[in-house]
Structure formats: C-alpha cells, structure tokens
C-alpha cells in the first residue's frame, strides 16, 4: 500500500504530544473530533466520552469494530505536604522507577497548568548516600516538586492546586532518522495514529468497504473498562489494535505487526487470527505471533463484559512498555497495512 509516511508521522506526533491520562482525555478526544469533522466522517460520543467513527460498508448487518485506546498512564495529586511538595498516586500500572526525574504538568480544575518534576523523597546521593540508591521506588517515596516558589501547603493551594488534579507526564517524543519512535504512551497512541490514518486513507481514496466498520477510540483501557460498553450492536468482529511486547523470552518485534494468540484473559479467536495471518502471508506483511501473560486489551475487556463477538489483538512491538517506550516506523506501517487490508477483506 502507498502510505504517506510524513502524514503518518505527523498524526503520531500530534497525538503523542496531546496529554490524555486515563480520566482526563478531553484534549486528545477534541483533537480526534476536529480531525473527523475535517474529513467529514460521522461519529458518536459515548456517555463515558469515547468516540466511535463509522464508515458505512456494503453490508450493514454484519459490522466490524476496531479499537485503540486514547487514555495513557499518568498520575494525580494525592496530597499536599506541609513543605509544599506534592504526593502523587499513579494512574495505570507502571513501575515508579520509570517516572523518576520525569518532567510533568499539573492541570488544575480551572485549567491552569504548572510544571514540575517527579523525584524520590531522597533524590541526592550527596545528602542521603546509599539510602538514595536503596530507597524503594514506591508511591509513598515519590513526590512532585513544583517549578514555583512554594514553601508550604498554603502556598500550593493559593495556586489553585488541589487533591485529585491530574498530572501529565512529559512524553519526550522523538522520531529518529533511522525510523525509531521513542516516546511515552506509544501504548496505545501508535495504534490511535494507525486508526486515524486508516480513516484518512479510506476517505481520500473513496474506498468502499465490504462491511460497515466502526473505529472505536476508547478512554478507560488502562484501568480495565475501555470497551466494556457502547460497542455497536451489529458488531460481529472486534479487532483491538494495541501493542506487542518485545523482550526476553518473547517473539515480538518492533519492526513487525504482532498478533496475539493469547494474553492473561485467554486465547483470542482462532479463525480470526488465521484470517489475519493469511492477509500477512499473502501481502508480504512482516508479522510475529506471541503470547503475553501479563497483558489485557479492549478486546478481552469486551469479552469479560459479555459481548458475543469474535476478537483479535494486533499492534506494533513496543519495547519497554509502560516506561519510556520505543518502536519503529516499520512496525507501525506493518500494523497499518494489516489494518487496511483487513477492513477491505471479505
């Protein structure tokens, strides 16, 4: 397929740099709304705040739904300490080591933004010696230091910061000349970019799909209920585009589309996976099959919620998932090509 790589990279950069921690996804959702409106693609907003864009196909009674989740990892203000430092609580399942010394933004309820950095409570070896090295990286030992002259709880509160305010982690997005994509939140914004480009491709080229296809942008996947509701009722096949997880003992790769045979929820639909594998083999799409024991997706969430649908899970391989992540444009493009071919298949 002829992919406009620069456009794909721009979509990827735009969505990666738009903050959307789970529970505060409105900025990314508004970006997607504007994008769909520009393409004149119809969409509905769910009560929870997700978006479902629909491209009508020849068969409307047998529909396909494809999902990617817009929500990411993040944090919230848990408490404000007497010295003006801020205790945090995490959103999503990451290691606290992965956010140590990370720049961030606090957004208050009235929309003001304040920058800061997340440190341990013993950040300096010159002060704490080996205690700084050996301190357990856990929620109670992490704190946010504001880039403001604050020395007390009252100073912080005067800024409008309060318990429950959302904290956006700096994504530090970079695409190298050699094609590597390094950023926080590639899980799952690489897949969001794939879906946005797929919609663009079908509209621009006036592609008539064999089945009505819904593109579901969910917003609570990181906390387990992204696709638990609102799946269009005629959906027969549900494809979750998320990520593969390369690493020790795994078969996944940053350069291929990864097809999940089984995750923590059990096996995915065998016939569905066979179809995806056939599309890869027939069209020279690089792929890897893998099993993820500590993983769940929107598709597995939908099954747990009781939806009677066939499910599959694909995605580019994302190294160091739930940390500062890395993938390659090859893997994203392979995922996109499989998505485009699947949507056009009968």
């Amino acid at each position: 397929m002829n992919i406009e790589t620069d456009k794909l990279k721009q979509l990827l950069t735009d969505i990666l740099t738009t903050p959307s921690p789970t529970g505060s996804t409105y900025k990314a959702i508004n970006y997607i709304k504007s994008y769909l409106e520009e393409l004149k693609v119809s969409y509905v907003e769910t009560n929870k705040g997700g978006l479902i864009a629909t491209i009508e196909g020849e068969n409307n009674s047998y529909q396909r739904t494809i999902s990617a989740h817009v929500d990411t990892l993040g944090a919230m203000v848990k408490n404000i300490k007497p010295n003006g430092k801020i205790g945090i609580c995490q959103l999503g399942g990451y290691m606290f080591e992965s956010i140590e010394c990370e720049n961030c933004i606090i957004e208050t309820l009235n929309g003001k933004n304040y920058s800061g950095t997340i440190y341990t409570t013993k950040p300096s070896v010159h002060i704490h010696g080996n205690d700084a090295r050996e301190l357990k990286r856990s929620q109670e030992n992490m704190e946010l230091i504001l880039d403001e002259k604050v020395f007390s709880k009252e100073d912080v509160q005067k800024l409008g910061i309060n318990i429950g305010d959302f904290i956006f982690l700096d994504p530090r997005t970079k695409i190298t000349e050699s094609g590597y994509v390094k950023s926080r939140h590639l899980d799952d914004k690489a897949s969001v970019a794939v879906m946005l480009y797929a919609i663009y491709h079908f509209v621009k080229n006036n592609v008539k799909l064999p089945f009505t296809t819904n593109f579901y942008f969910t917003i609570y996947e990181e906390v387990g209920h992204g696709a638990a509701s609102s799946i269009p009722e005629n959906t027969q096949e549900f494809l979750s585009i998320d990520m593969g997880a390369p690493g020790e003992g795994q078969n996944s790769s940053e350069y291929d589309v990864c097809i999940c045979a089984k995750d923590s929820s059990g096996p995915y639909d065998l016939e569905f996976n066979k179809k995806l594998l056939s599309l890869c083999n027939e069209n020279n799409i690089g792929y890897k099959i893998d099993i993820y024991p500590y993983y769940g997706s929107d598709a597995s969430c939908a099954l747990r919620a009781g939806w009677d649908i066939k499910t599959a899970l694909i995605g580019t391989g994302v190294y160091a998932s739930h940390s500062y992540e890395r993938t390659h444009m090859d893997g994203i493009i392979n995922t996109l090509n499989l998505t485009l071919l699947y949507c056009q298949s009968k």
Side-chain angles (χ1 to χ4, degrees):
M1 297 244 181
N2 183 26
I3 304 299
E4 298 174 34
T5 306
D6 287 344
K7 182 171 184 63
L8 178 58
K9 287 180 179 178
Q10 189 60 59
L11 288 170
L12 182 61
T13 301
D14 286 349
I15 199 67
L16 282 168
T17 54
T18 303
S20 56
T22 191
S24 180
T25 53
Y26 71 95
K27 290 182 179 179
I29 289 295
N30 286 341
Y31 169 84
I32 296 170
K33 282 181 183 178
S34 297
Y35 178 84
L36 295 172
E37 288 164 3
E38 184 177 340
L39 291 175
K40 296 181 171 56
V41 173
S42 63
Y43 66 87
V44 295
E45 188 167 5
T46 71
N47 284 330
K48 287 199 296 188
L51 293 179
I52 303 173
T54 299
I55 297 179
E56 289 191 6
E58 295 173 358
N59 187 335
N60 193 51
S61 60
Y62 189 107
Q63 295 188 13
R64 291 166 167 167
T65 296
I66 303 174
S67 80
H69 65 90
V70 176
D71 63 310
T72 70
L73 307 175
M76 296 178 83
V77 175
K78 185 180 183 297
N79 62 295
I80 303 171
K81 301 179 181 182
N83 60 5
K85 297 177 181 179
I86 293 173
I88 66 173
C89 67
Q90 69 183 134
L91 295 173
Y94 52 81
M95 302 178 294
F96 279 99
E97 290 90 337
S98 72
I99 66 167
E100 185 176 349
C101 299
E102 189 61 272
N103 291 325
C104 60
I105 297 291
I106 294 180
E107 183 174 86
T108 67
L109 289 177
N110 62 9
K112 288 186 177 179
N113 288 347
Y114 295 97
S115 66
T117 306
I118 296 171
Y119 294 105
T120 71
T121 54
K122 294 182 177 181
S124 174
V125 293
H126 290 109
I127 299 171
H128 306 288
N130 279 335
D131 284 350
R133 298 185 178 94
E134 297 170 1
L135 183 71
K136 182 179 179 181
R137 270 54 177 173
S138 58
Q139 185 165 289
E140 63 272 17
N141 291 332
M142 310 299 290
E143 60 188 11
L144 190 156
I145 310 298
L146 283 170
D147 299 329
E148 300 288 337
K149 291 182 178 180
V150 290
F151 307 99
S152 66
K153 179 177 181 178
E154 292 72 25
D155 288 342
V156 175
Q157 289 176 324
K158 286 177 183 176
L159 297 176
I161 295 172
N162 213 325
I163 293 168
D165 286 345
F166 282 89
I167 299 168
F168 310 148
L169 302 175
D170 185 350
R172 290 189 283 132
T173 300
K174 180 178 179 63
I175 302 178
T176 72
E177 290 185 6
S178 54
Y180 288 94
V181 185
K182 303 192 290 184
S183 181
R184 289 190 180 276
H185 315 318
L186 289 170
D187 170 20
D188 187 31
K189 288 185 171 179
S191 304
V192 172
V194 164
M195 292 220 306
L196 293 173
Y197 188 96
I199 293 169
Y200 163 79
H201 175 86
F202 295 139
V203 171
K204 179 187 177 185
N205 296 291
N206 197 27
V207 176
K208 188 64 174 177
L209 301 180
F211 302 98
T212 293
T213 302
N214 309 292
F215 295 87
Y216 191 178
F217 299 90
T218 67
I219 59 169
Y220 283 104
E221 192 275 346
E222 292 292 0
V223 288
H225 61 93
S229 60
S230 303
I231 296 173
E233 61 179 357
N234 287 336
T235 298
Q236 306 294 313
E237 298 174 8
F238 187 99
L239 177 64
S240 178
I241 312 179
D242 206 310
M243 65 167 192
E248 184 178 359
Q250 297 299 133
N251 191 44
S252 297
S253 161
E254 297 168 82
Y255 315 107
D256 299 294
V257 56
C258 302
I259 299 174
C260 181
K262 175 187 177 295
D263 65 12
S264 62
S265 65
Y268 284 84
D269 187 85
L270 178 60
E271 293 304 317
F272 200 162
N273 274 347
K274 283 182 177 179
K275 179 172 188 173
L276 296 173
L277 292 170
S278 292
L279 289 170
C280 289
N281 287 321
E282 292 165 5
N283 295 277
N284 296 315
I285 295 174
Y287 72 90
K288 299 291 185 185
I289 305 171
D290 214 345
I291 291 172
Y292 309 116
Y294 308 108
Y295 188 121
S297 72
D298 271 332
S300 51
C301 168
L303 291 175
R304 286 195 182 99
W307 291 92
D308 182 18
I309 49 179
K310 295 179 183 295
T311 59
L313 167 64
I314 66 172
T316 185
V318 172
Y319 185 76
S321 55
H322 281 197
S323 183
Y324 183 62
E325 300 168 336
R326 191 184 84 158
T327 190
H328 195 276
M329 287 302 300
D330 288 352
I332 295 173
I333 289 171
N334 279 319
T335 303
L336 173 57
N337 280 330
L338 179 54
T339 302
L340 294 174
L341 287 166
Y342 164 67
C343 289
Q344 297 172 81
S345 67
K346 294 185 178 180

